[in-house]
CSV table of all heavy atoms in Angstrom, one decimal:
chain,number,residue,atom,x,y,z
B,80,LEU,N,-13.7,12.6,-6.0
B,80,LEU,CA,-14.1,12.6,-4.7
B,80,LEU,C,-13.8,11.2,-4.2
B,80,LEU,O,-14.4,10.2,-4.6
B,80,LEU,CB,-15.5,12.9,-4.5
B,80,LEU,CG,-16.0,13.2,-3.1
B,80,LEU,CD1,-17.1,14.2,-3.0
B,80,LEU,CD2,-16.5,11.8,-2.4
B,81,PHE,N,-12.8,11.1,-3.2
B,81,PHE,CA,-12.4,9.8,-2.7
B,81,PHE,C,-13.2,9.5,-1.4
B,81,PHE,O,-13.2,10.3,-0.5
B,81,PHE,CB,-11.0,9.7,-2.4
B,81,PHE,CG,-10.5,8.4,-1.9
B,81,PHE,CD1,-10.2,7.4,-2.7
B,81,PHE,CD2,-10.4,8.3,-0.5
B,81,PHE,CE1,-9.8,6.2,-2.2
B,81,PHE,CE2,-10.0,7.0,0.1
B,81,PHE,CZ,-9.7,5.9,-0.8
B,82,THR,N,-13.9,8.4,-1.3
B,82,THR,CA,-14.6,8.0,-0.1
B,82,THR,C,-14.5,6.6,0.3
B,82,THR,O,-14.3,5.8,-0.6
B,82,THR,CB,-16.1,8.5,-0.2
B,82,THR,OG1,-16.8,8.0,1.0
B,82,THR,CG2,-16.7,7.7,-1.4
B,83,THR,N,-14.5,6.3,1.5
B,83,THR,CA,-14.6,4.9,2.0
B,83,THR,C,-16.0,4.5,2.4
B,83,THR,O,-16.2,3.4,2.8
B,83,THR,CB,-13.6,4.6,3.2
B,83,THR,OG1,-14.1,5.5,4.2
B,83,THR,CG2,-12.2,5.0,2.8
B,84,GLU,N,-16.9,5.4,2.3
B,84,GLU,CA,-18.4,5.1,2.6
B,84,GLU,C,-19.0,4.5,1.3
B,84,GLU,O,-19.6,5.2,0.5
B,84,GLU,CB,-19.1,6.4,3.0
B,84,GLU,CG,-18.5,7.2,4.1
B,84,GLU,CD,-18.6,6.6,5.5
B,84,GLU,OE1,-19.3,5.5,5.6
B,84,GLU,OE2,-18.1,7.2,6.5
B,85,ALA,N,-18.7,3.2,1.2
B,85,ALA,CA,-19.1,2.5,0.0
B,85,ALA,C,-20.3,1.7,0.0
B,85,ALA,O,-20.5,0.8,-0.9
B,85,ALA,CB,-17.9,1.8,-0.6
B,86,ASP,N,-21.1,1.8,1.1
B,86,ASP,CA,-22.4,1.1,1.1
B,86,ASP,C,-23.3,1.5,0.0
B,86,ASP,O,-23.3,2.7,-0.3
B,86,ASP,CB,-23.1,1.2,2.4
B,86,ASP,CG,-22.5,0.4,3.5
B,86,ASP,OD1,-21.6,-0.4,3.2
B,86,ASP,OD2,-22.8,0.6,4.7
B,87,PRO,N,-24.0,0.6,-0.7
B,87,PRO,CA,-24.8,1.1,-1.9
B,87,PRO,C,-25.7,2.2,-1.5
B,87,PRO,O,-25.8,3.2,-2.3
B,87,PRO,CB,-25.6,-0.2,-2.3
B,87,PRO,CG,-24.7,-1.3,-1.9
B,87,PRO,CD,-24.0,-0.9,-0.6
B,88,PRO,N,-26.5,2.2,-0.4
B,88,PRO,CA,-27.3,3.4,-0.1
B,88,PRO,C,-26.5,4.8,0.0
B,88,PRO,O,-27.0,5.7,-0.4
B,88,PRO,CB,-28.0,3.1,1.2
B,88,PRO,CG,-27.8,1.6,1.4
B,88,PRO,CD,-26.6,1.3,0.7
B,89,GLN,N,-25.3,4.6,0.6
B,89,GLN,CA,-24.6,5.9,0.7
B,89,GLN,C,-24.1,6.4,-0.7
B,89,GLN,O,-24.1,7.6,-0.9
B,89,GLN,CB,-23.3,5.6,1.6
B,89,GLN,CG,-23.7,5.4,3.0
B,89,GLN,CD,-22.5,4.9,3.9
B,89,GLN,OE1,-21.9,3.9,3.5
B,89,GLN,NE2,-22.3,5.4,5.0
B,90,LEU,N,-23.6,5.5,-1.5
B,90,LEU,CA,-23.2,5.8,-2.8
B,90,LEU,C,-24.3,6.3,-3.7
B,90,LEU,O,-24.2,7.3,-4.5
B,90,LEU,CB,-22.6,4.7,-3.6
B,90,LEU,CG,-21.2,4.3,-3.0
B,90,LEU,CD1,-20.6,3.0,-3.7
B,90,LEU,CD2,-20.2,5.4,-3.1
B,91,ASP,N,-25.5,5.8,-3.4
B,91,ASP,CA,-26.7,6.2,-4.1
B,91,ASP,C,-27.1,7.7,-3.8
B,91,ASP,O,-27.3,8.5,-4.7
B,91,ASP,CB,-27.8,5.3,-3.7
B,91,ASP,CG,-29.1,5.5,-4.6
B,91,ASP,OD1,-28.8,5.7,-5.8
B,91,ASP,OD2,-30.2,5.4,-4.2
B,92,ILE,N,-27.1,8.0,-2.5
B,92,ILE,CA,-27.4,9.4,-2.0
B,92,ILE,C,-26.3,10.4,-2.5
B,92,ILE,O,-26.5,11.4,-3.0
B,92,ILE,CB,-27.5,9.4,-0.5
B,92,ILE,CG1,-28.7,8.6,0.0
B,92,ILE,CG2,-27.5,10.9,0.0
B,92,ILE,CD1,-30.0,9.3,-0.3
B,93,LEU,N,-25.0,9.9,-2.5
B,93,LEU,CA,-23.9,10.8,-2.9
B,93,LEU,C,-24.1,11.1,-4.3
B,93,LEU,O,-23.9,12.2,-4.8
B,93,LEU,CB,-22.6,10.1,-2.6
B,93,LEU,CG,-21.4,10.8,-3.0
B,93,LEU,CD1,-21.2,12.2,-2.3
B,93,LEU,CD2,-20.1,10.0,-2.7
B,94,SER,N,-24.5,10.1,-5.1
B,94,SER,CA,-24.7,10.3,-6.6
B,94,SER,C,-25.8,11.3,-6.8
B,94,SER,O,-25.7,12.1,-7.7
B,94,SER,CB,-25.0,8.8,-7.1
B,94,SER,OG,-25.5,9.1,-8.3
B,95,GLN,N,-26.9,11.2,-6.0
B,95,GLN,CA,-28.0,12.1,-6.1
B,95,GLN,C,-27.5,13.5,-5.8
B,95,GLN,O,-27.9,14.5,-6.6
B,95,GLN,CB,-29.1,11.8,-5.2
B,95,GLN,CG,-29.9,10.6,-5.5
B,95,GLN,CD,-31.0,10.3,-4.4
B,95,GLN,OE1,-31.4,11.2,-3.7
B,95,GLN,NE2,-31.4,9.0,-4.3
B,96,ILE,N,-26.7,13.7,-4.8
B,96,ILE,CA,-26.2,15.0,-4.4
B,96,ILE,C,-25.4,15.6,-5.5
B,96,ILE,O,-25.4,16.8,-5.9
B,96,ILE,CB,-25.4,14.9,-3.1
B,96,ILE,CG1,-26.4,14.6,-1.9
B,96,ILE,CG2,-24.7,16.3,-2.8
B,96,ILE,CD1,-25.8,14.2,-0.6
B,97,ILE,N,-24.5,14.8,-6.1
B,97,ILE,CA,-23.7,15.2,-7.2
B,97,ILE,C,-24.6,15.6,-8.4
B,97,ILE,O,-24.2,16.6,-9.0
B,97,ILE,CB,-22.7,14.1,-7.5
B,97,ILE,CG1,-21.6,13.9,-6.5
B,97,ILE,CG2,-22.0,14.3,-8.9
B,97,ILE,CD1,-20.7,12.7,-6.6
B,98,ASP,N,-25.6,14.8,-8.6
B,98,ASP,CA,-26.4,15.2,-9.8
B,98,ASP,C,-27.1,16.6,-9.5
B,98,ASP,O,-27.3,17.4,-10.4
B,98,ASP,CB,-27.6,14.2,-9.9
B,98,ASP,CG,-27.0,12.9,-10.5
B,98,ASP,OD1,-25.9,12.9,-11.0
B,98,ASP,OD2,-27.7,11.9,-10.5
B,99,GLU,N,-27.6,16.8,-8.3
B,99,GLU,CA,-28.2,18.1,-7.9
B,99,GLU,C,-27.2,19.2,-8.1
B,99,GLU,O,-27.6,20.2,-8.6
B,99,GLU,CB,-28.7,18.1,-6.5
B,99,GLU,CG,-29.9,17.2,-6.2
B,99,GLU,CD,-30.1,16.9,-4.8
B,99,GLU,OE1,-29.6,17.6,-3.9
B,99,GLU,OE2,-30.8,15.8,-4.5
B,100,TYR,N,-26.0,19.0,-7.8
B,100,TYR,CA,-25.0,20.1,-7.9
B,100,TYR,C,-24.7,20.3,-9.4
B,100,TYR,O,-24.6,21.4,-9.9
B,100,TYR,CB,-23.6,19.6,-7.2
B,100,TYR,CG,-22.6,20.7,-7.3
B,100,TYR,CD1,-22.7,21.8,-6.4
B,100,TYR,CD2,-21.6,20.7,-8.2
B,100,TYR,CE1,-21.7,22.8,-6.4
B,100,TYR,CE2,-20.6,21.7,-8.2
B,100,TYR,CZ,-20.7,22.7,-7.3
B,100,TYR,OH,-19.7,23.8,-7.4
B,101,HIS,N,-24.7,19.2,-10.1
B,101,HIS,CA,-24.4,19.3,-11.6
B,101,HIS,C,-25.5,20.1,-12.3
B,101,HIS,O,-25.3,20.7,-13.3
B,101,HIS,CB,-24.3,17.9,-12.2
B,101,HIS,CG,-24.0,17.8,-13.6
B,101,HIS,ND1,-22.8,18.2,-14.1
B,101,HIS,CD2,-24.7,17.4,-14.7
B,101,HIS,CE1,-22.8,18.1,-15.4
B,101,HIS,NE2,-23.9,17.6,-15.8
B,102,GLU,N,-26.8,19.9,-11.7
B,102,GLU,CA,-27.9,20.7,-12.4
B,102,GLU,C,-27.7,22.2,-12.4
B,102,GLU,O,-28.0,22.9,-13.3
B,102,GLU,CB,-29.2,20.3,-11.7
B,102,GLU,CG,-30.0,19.2,-12.3
B,102,GLU,CD,-31.1,18.8,-11.4
B,102,GLU,OE1,-31.8,19.7,-10.8
B,102,GLU,OE2,-31.5,17.6,-11.4
B,103,THR,N,-27.1,22.7,-11.3
B,103,THR,CA,-26.9,24.1,-11.2
B,103,THR,C,-25.5,24.5,-11.7
B,103,THR,O,-25.2,25.7,-11.9
B,103,THR,CB,-27.1,24.7,-9.8
B,103,THR,OG1,-26.4,23.8,-8.9
B,103,THR,CG2,-28.5,24.7,-9.4
B,104,ASN,N,-24.6,23.4,-11.8
B,104,ASN,CA,-23.2,23.7,-12.3
B,104,ASN,C,-23.0,22.7,-13.4
B,104,ASN,O,-22.2,21.8,-13.2
B,104,ASN,CB,-22.2,23.5,-11.1
B,104,ASN,CG,-22.5,24.5,-10.0
B,104,ASN,OD1,-22.0,25.5,-10.0
B,104,ASN,ND2,-23.3,24.1,-9.1
B,105,PRO,N,-23.6,23.0,-14.6
B,105,PRO,CA,-23.5,21.9,-15.6
B,105,PRO,C,-22.1,21.6,-16.1
B,105,PRO,O,-21.9,20.6,-16.7
B,105,PRO,CB,-24.4,22.4,-16.7
B,105,PRO,CG,-24.7,23.9,-16.4
B,105,PRO,CD,-24.4,24.1,-15.0
B,106,ASP,N,-21.2,22.5,-15.9
B,106,ASP,CA,-19.8,22.2,-16.4
B,106,ASP,C,-19.0,21.4,-15.3
B,106,ASP,O,-17.8,21.1,-15.7
B,106,ASP,CB,-19.1,23.6,-16.6
B,106,ASP,CG,-19.6,24.3,-17.8
B,106,ASP,OD1,-20.1,23.6,-18.7
B,106,ASP,OD2,-19.4,25.5,-18.0
B,107,VAL,N,-19.5,21.2,-14.2
B,107,VAL,CA,-18.8,20.5,-13.2
B,107,VAL,C,-19.2,19.0,-13.1
B,107,VAL,O,-20.3,18.7,-13.0
B,107,VAL,CB,-18.9,21.1,-11.8
B,107,VAL,CG1,-18.1,20.4,-10.7
B,107,VAL,CG2,-18.5,22.6,-11.8
B,108,PHE,N,-18.2,18.2,-13.2
B,108,PHE,CA,-18.4,16.7,-13.2
B,108,PHE,C,-17.6,16.1,-12.0
B,108,PHE,O,-16.5,16.5,-11.8
B,108,PHE,CB,-18.0,16.0,-14.5
B,108,PHE,CG,-18.7,16.6,-15.7
B,108,PHE,CD1,-18.2,17.7,-16.4
B,108,PHE,CD2,-19.8,16.0,-16.1
B,108,PHE,CE1,-18.8,18.2,-17.5
B,108,PHE,CE2,-20.5,16.5,-17.2
B,108,PHE,CZ,-20.0,17.6,-17.9
B,109,ILE,N,-18.2,15.3,-11.3
B,109,ILE,CA,-17.5,14.8,-10.1
B,109,ILE,C,-17.5,13.2,-10.2
B,109,ILE,O,-18.4,12.6,-10.3
B,109,ILE,CB,-18.2,15.2,-8.8
B,109,ILE,CG1,-18.0,16.7,-8.7
B,109,ILE,CG2,-17.6,14.5,-7.6
B,109,ILE,CD1,-18.9,17.4,-7.7
B,110,ASP,N,-16.3,12.7,-10.2
B,110,ASP,CA,-16.0,11.2,-10.2
B,110,ASP,C,-15.9,10.7,-8.8
B,110,ASP,O,-15.0,11.2,-8.1
B,110,ASP,CB,-14.8,11.0,-11.1
B,110,ASP,CG,-15.0,11.1,-12.5
B,110,ASP,OD1,-16.1,11.1,-12.9
B,110,ASP,OD2,-14.0,11.2,-13.2
B,111,VAL,N,-16.7,9.7,-8.4
B,111,VAL,CA,-16.5,9.2,-7.1
B,111,VAL,C,-15.6,8.0,-7.2
B,111,VAL,O,-15.7,7.1,-8.0
B,111,VAL,CB,-17.9,8.8,-6.5
B,111,VAL,CG1,-17.7,8.1,-5.2
B,111,VAL,CG2,-18.8,10.0,-6.4
B,112,VAL,N,-14.6,8.0,-6.3
B,112,VAL,CA,-13.6,6.9,-6.2
B,112,VAL,C,-13.8,6.3,-4.8
B,112,VAL,O,-13.8,7.0,-3.8
B,112,VAL,CB,-12.2,7.4,-6.4
B,112,VAL,CG1,-11.2,6.2,-6.3
B,112,VAL,CG2,-12.0,8.1,-7.7
B,113,THR,N,-13.9,5.0,-4.7
B,113,THR,CA,-14.1,4.4,-3.4
B,113,THR,C,-12.9,3.6,-3.0
B,113,THR,O,-12.1,3.1,-3.9
B,113,THR,CB,-15.3,3.4,-3.4
B,113,THR,OG1,-15.2,2.5,-4.4
B,113,THR,CG2,-16.6,4.2,-3.6
Side-chain angles (χ1 to χ4, degrees):
Chain B
L80 187 149
F81 178 87
T82 177
T83 59
E84 307 285 359
D86 284 350
Q89 288 169 314
L90 288 176
D91 193 32
I92 293 287
L93 181 59
S94 166
Q95 284 177 27
I96 293 167
I97 289 170
D98 287 347
E99 287 164 23
Y100 186 78
H101 183 68
E102 268 176 34
T103 48
N104 299 272
D106 283 340
V107 180
F108 302 88
I109 293 162
D110 288 340
V111 175
V112 181
T113 57

